[in-house]
Amino acid sequence: MSDPVAAPPITVGLPVRNGEPYLEAALRSLLDQRDVDYELVVADNCSTDATGDIVQDLGRGDARVRYLRRAQDIGVMGNHNRLVGEARGRLFAWAAADDVWRPDRLARLASALADRPEAVLASSSATEIGPDGGVLGSWHNECRVDHPEPAVRVRDLLEVPHHNYYCYGLVRRHVLASTMLNPPIKAGDRVLVAELALRGPFAHVDEELLLHRIHPDRISERVDPREFYRSQRPGRRSLVLPNVEEGGWFLRAVLRSPLSPGQRLAALAALRPWLRDNAVPMARNVARAAVDAGRRLAVAAGRSSGPRG
């Protein structure tokens, strides 16, 4: 699995940890992409199952495939983010180890970006499938992500209920690299997509070219925001305020984006739907943090006043 001399125009990055159950189907669908020049980079975050064997068996003799195994667990978001710097293509897309792509998805997304030079990302509609591949439903874009005004794009992303399948779109890598990438919170992909929307409109292919698998072993299903927060920060004992921190990341996304003063004010105002929906959860975060801090102080006081020999 050696690298070709010339960098391909597109990189598909697949971050994975213990992806054995669905990985082979995902890889075969990516290797079956047609009419497009690309590389596939698989970043294995210290898997303990057969993930590495599956990748190397399917990629043997295929110069498009690079297999990277992390020396230590760097977390879900860390693994996603590091792939951006390891890619060589001008265009970049993340792929999930449990999804399946239609054979022309990558070519169609690349064509959509070529047709719209001002777009920073191209996405497609999706079919939602279950563990056995049975169809559960579908997703079609309902947000005005192609609107010329950044505030409108962000307001819809925060206000219109939707599954965030934009994060599996094809992105101009130089734009992606200029963002904060995925913050180390459970909603990090939503913050990233909002920041991308502040930097340019999205193109959308309204065909179900992505088969997104929904199953109980997904990290979004089995890990709550607090546990996810701690998993991305090993060894840190700081208080956890998931909703408060999420709001801070959205605020940073607006403040650091290349907007005019008027656009920045409008984008800040566009955060109101998020603030409305998260006001009570943020208050609960603070209350719980206060209780946790009180308990820690009580335990520390108990230890310091204990019997001494």
Side-chain angles (χ1 to χ4, degrees):
M1 294 190 283
S2 59
D3 294 337
V5 175
I10 300 173
T11 297
V12 177
L14 193 154
V16 60
R17 176 177 170 84
N18 294 340
E20 182 179 351
Y22 307 107
L23 182 58
E24 182 174 347
L27 288 173
R28 289 190 184 279
S29 76
L30 294 172
L31 294 174
D32 285 344
Q33 295 300 299
R34 58 195 181 202
D35 302 324
V36 63
D37 183 15
Y38 66 101
E39 67 173 352
L40 172 60
V41 184
V42 181
D44 182 354
N45 192 31
C46 302
S47 293
T48 56
D49 63 2
T51 288
D53 294 334
I54 293 170
V55 177
Q56 294 183 83
D57 286 347
L58 287 178
R60 188 172 290 112
D62 193 329
R64 298 173 299 174
V65 180
R66 280 195 284 147
Y67 173 66
L68 308 175
R69 182 175 173 87
R70 305 301 184 203
Q72 61 184 17
D73 185 352
I74 59 174
V76 175
M77 294 310 192
N79 199 27
H80 277 70
N81 293 344
R82 189 173 294 183
L83 265 169
V84 178
E86 293 164 336
R88 299 184 303 144
R90 291 178 289 101
L91 305 177
F92 178 86
W94 279 293
D98 44 11
D99 287 351
V100 173
W101 289 27
R102 300 288 188 192
D104 57 345
R105 183 172 194 261
L106 194 55
R108 296 290 301 280
L109 295 181
S111 178
L113 283 180
D115 291 342
R116 292 196 58 185
E118 78 282 10
V120 300
L121 178 150
S123 59
S124 76
S125 298
T127 302
E128 295 171 333
I129 60 175
D132 61 355
V135 175
L136 302 177
S138 62
W139 174 82
H140 294 264
N141 174 52
E142 295 183 2
C143 298
R144 291 174 291 175
V145 289
D146 61 344
H147 197 278
E149 288 299 323
V152 174
R153 300 192 294 264
V154 169
R155 185 182 301 114
D156 272 23
L157 286 171
L158 296 178
E159 190 167 32
V160 177
H162 67 279
H163 296 294
N164 189 30
Y165 296 155
Y166 306 105
C167 64
Y168 299 115
L170 186 64
V171 193
R172 299 191 194 277
R173 190 161 66 95
H174 75 280
V175 178
L176 181 60
S178 72
T179 69
M180 300 179 292
L181 298 178
N182 291 283
I185 59 174
K186 191 172 181 181
D189 58 341
R190 289 184 176 270
V191 175
L192 172 58
V193 167
E195 188 174 2
L196 286 169
L198 288 167
R199 292 167 184 267
F202 297 174
H204 187 72
V205 180
D206 194 16
E207 295 182 37
E208 296 177 22
L209 304 176
L210 173 68
L211 278 66
H212 181 68
R213 196 181 305 272
I214 298 173
H215 58 90
D217 291 329
R218 293 185 303 161
I219 193 167
S220 59
E221 297 289 334
R222 57 184 172 81
V223 177
D224 69 23
R226 287 173 177 273
E227 184 181 345
F228 188 92
Y229 181 103
R230 291 190 175 100
S231 73
Q232 304 306 298
R233 299 164 171 81
R236 284 186 56 177
R237 297 174 57 85
S238 58
L239 298 175
V240 180
L241 295 89
N243 300 82
V244 174
E245 181 161 352
E246 182 181 328
W249 283 105
F250 276 120
L251 180 61
R252 272 174 272 184
V254 173
L255 295 178
R256 70 189 304 278
S257 293
L259 305 171
S260 70
Q263 288 175 326
R264 196 177 311 282
L265 286 173
L268 288 170
L271 298 181
R272 284 180 297 181
W274 187 94
L275 290 170
R276 178 195 64 215
D277 295 340
N278 286 270
V280 172
M282 283 194 291
R284 289 174 179 161
N285 285 175
V286 174
R288 181 167 175 178
V291 171
D292 289 346
R295 287 172 177 167
R296 290 179 183 177
L297 288 173
V299 170
R303 287 174 179 168
S304 64
S305 62
R308 298 180 182 180

